[in-house]
Structure formats: C-alpha cells, structure tokens
Amino acid sequence: MPYEFFLGNAAHRLVAFMYGAKYPSNRIFYNTDTLQKILSEKELGDTSLLHSNERNLRPDITNISRRVLFEIKPWTEQGLQEGREEARIYLAALNRALLDGRRFTGGTDFHGEVLIRFARGQYIWRLEWRTQEPGVVQYRWTRSQQRFESEAAAYEAGQWVEITEQELQQYGGWVAQAVEDMVRRREELATFSGAVGVVIDVAGNVATGFFSGAIFGQMGSTPGAQQPPAQGGGQVIPFPSRPPPTVPPAQVPAAAGMSLPR
C-alpha cells in the first residue's frame, strides 16, 4: 500500500490512543464505532432521530464523559476545512438525538508529539498533533534537521524539517507496523494514567515502541496503574510537552509534503 495510507493510519492510531491515555477513566469511542452505537450507550440518545445517512458515521474521537468530539486530520488547510465540516455534521447529529444532559461540543486543548528512531546516528522522526480549532486535531510528520545519536538530543535541538518523499516511501511501512504493534500491546495492559510521550525505535526490520515519562503526568500516579515494560532493550526518553502557542498560526503549514487520508 502507498506510504500515505500507512502514515495516515499510524497518525490516527497514535493520536487516538494518546487521547485515551490522557483520559483513562472516560468512556471514549473511536472511528470503529458508529453514531448509532455511541448513542445507544446507556440510552444516551434516540437513534431513530438520526437521518439514514448518519447512522453509520464514525467520528475519530467521541468522549461521552466530557461530551466532546474530535476529527483527526493532516496539518494542511484542506485537512482543517474537511475536519471542520465533518465535526459539524457529527455534532449536529449527536445533539439532535440526545435525550438529556449537556450537548456535545468540539474538543479543545489536546496536543502532543511522538519521536521515532530508525537506527543509531540517523534522523529522528517526529509526529506532532495539535487542536487547531475546536473539534479538529491536526497532525504532521517531520524529521530532525541533522542526524542525532539519541531522541533526547533531537528533542532538545527542536529543529524539524519536512521528510523527503524517498524517506517516506522507504520507512512508511515500518513506522505503521511499529505504531500498530506498540498500541496493540498497550491496549492489552491494564489501564494506567498519566502517560506520556512515546518513543518508537525502528532498527533494521525490527520495530518496538516505548512510553516515556512525562507529557501528561507521572505514570503510576493512581491505584492500579501499571508501568508498561520496556521491550527490546530500547531507550526510554522522558520529554515534557511543549505548550501550544497562545495565538494559533494564521495559516496552517503544509503537512510534510504529502496528502494523507482522514
């Protein structure tokens, strides 16, 4: 499959998973669940009030505990417009069918980043996501401007540039597999709170994912929380979350030179 598909799915998978890690006690639905299923949860809404073309719609993130919704889109102007329109459609359908309680709104203040290492002395890849406007989370892939021996050094330098098409084609499949394996392992663990940034280590054909220590808080801070085991002898790099800019950029930059699926 084309690298756009691999990297688009990887971004969706990680961003949605990180949202769930941030709110482990909330009831959250993802884009495998339809509006009809979401509204049927504890008789949240009357599904007969959905139009026939709305029943099988699948928002990317729907948090019924907080009554917020997000669409995940590439960091492009087109992605922003598409996310805005899709979020509007989903919110209108949900709120029309609600039986009681507060209405759903577009979610805000969700941002983070993931670092990906391919081998010693290679470029470090980065997936960043940010809520550009209520209900729309946008992501972009970049890489370190120069080669680094560690993720920590790349993070501290903070100089990220677009990834070449050749690099995207060469490594896109590996990234997608690493993401899927890491997320699947973590979903099988007991719920834990306070996680985290992620470092994904890709060396040769072997890919393993790691959590690092402090984006959303200190892991293991609540009863029953579990520290995910390190795997494959990789390096766990804590890196704090940088706050979003106080004023959103006037123009959304292009997303690493590619057009990704929703």
Side-chain angles (χ1 to χ4, degrees):
M1 294 183 182
Y3 65 83
E4 295 96 332
F5 177 85
F6 282 123
L7 291 171
N9 280 357
H12 275 70
R13 194 85 161 100
L14 270 174
V15 171
F17 179 75
M18 295 299 287
Y19 184 83
K22 184 177 182 181
Y23 298 107
S25 63
N26 286 189
R27 185 71 173 105
I28 304 169
F29 292 86
Y30 302 103
N31 62 7
T32 55
D33 299 309
T34 65
L35 289 184
Q36 184 162 337
K37 179 178 178 180
I38 294 168
L39 288 164
S40 298
E41 175 82 0
K42 298 181 179 178
E43 299 183 344
L44 179 67
D46 181 355
T47 58
S48 69
L49 297 177
L50 291 173
H51 299 156
S52 60
N53 62 340
E54 294 173 337
R55 293 169 189 159
N56 291 321
L57 295 178
R58 302 167 187 262
D60 286 327
I61 300 174
T62 307
N63 186 331
I64 66 173
S65 301
R66 293 175 175 265
R67 299 291 174 96
V68 297
L69 177 148
F70 293 92
E71 274 299 286
I72 303 169
K73 292 293 180 184
W75 199 309
T76 63
E77 184 61 36
Q78 180 181 348
L80 180 61
Q81 292 174 2
E82 291 178 356
R84 180 188 298 140
E85 177 62 14
E86 290 176 20
R88 183 192 66 78
I89 291 170
Y90 299 150
L91 288 170
L94 281 170
N95 289 326
R96 185 191 324 118
L98 274 180
L99 291 175
D100 55 35
R102 67 183 186 277
R103 292 168 61 84
F104 281 86
T105 60
T108 59
D109 194 27
F110 176 45
H111 65 280
E113 59 190 314
V114 169
L115 301 184
I116 300 172
R117 181 182 64 191
F118 291 93
R120 285 285 182 183
Q122 299 299 312
Y123 296 115
I124 308 298
W125 280 29
R126 176 191 190 224
L127 172 67
E128 177 190 13
W129 63 91
R130 193 177 304 283
T131 310
Q132 301 289 8
E133 66 180 48
V136 184
V137 174
Q138 292 189 268
Y139 66 85
R140 61 182 170 186
W141 293 95
T142 52
R143 68 161 171 81
S144 58
Q145 189 173 37
Q146 58 185 337
R147 300 175 189 272
F148 288 95
E149 291 294 327
S150 73
E151 298 87 349
Y155 180 81
E156 287 301 319
Q159 296 177 339
W160 306 100
V161 298
E162 291 188 357
I163 304 170
T164 68
E165 184 170 354
Q166 181 180 0
E167 290 169 326
L168 293 169
Q169 291 175 339
Q170 183 175 0
Y171 296 113
W174 288 2
V175 171
Q177 187 61 56
V179 167
E180 180 60 32
D181 289 348
M182 186 277 293
V183 172
R184 187 174 61 250
R185 285 196 302 270
R186 297 313 183 251
E187 287 174 340
E188 292 170 354
L189 296 175
T191 299
F192 57 89
S193 69
V196 299
V198 177
V199 173
I200 296 174
D201 183 20
V202 182
N205 290 317
V206 180
T208 50
F210 303 91
F211 280 94
S212 66
I215 275 192
F216 297 123
Q218 184 62 41
M219 191 179 301
S221 60
T222 60
Q226 291 187 337
Q227 176 84 17
Q231 301 185 26
Q235 201 172 16
V236 180
I237 307 295
F239 51 97
S241 178
R242 294 187 175 95
T246 54
V247 179
Q251 183 174 0
V252 180
M258 58 185 171
S259 176
L260 296 176
R262 69 175 297 280

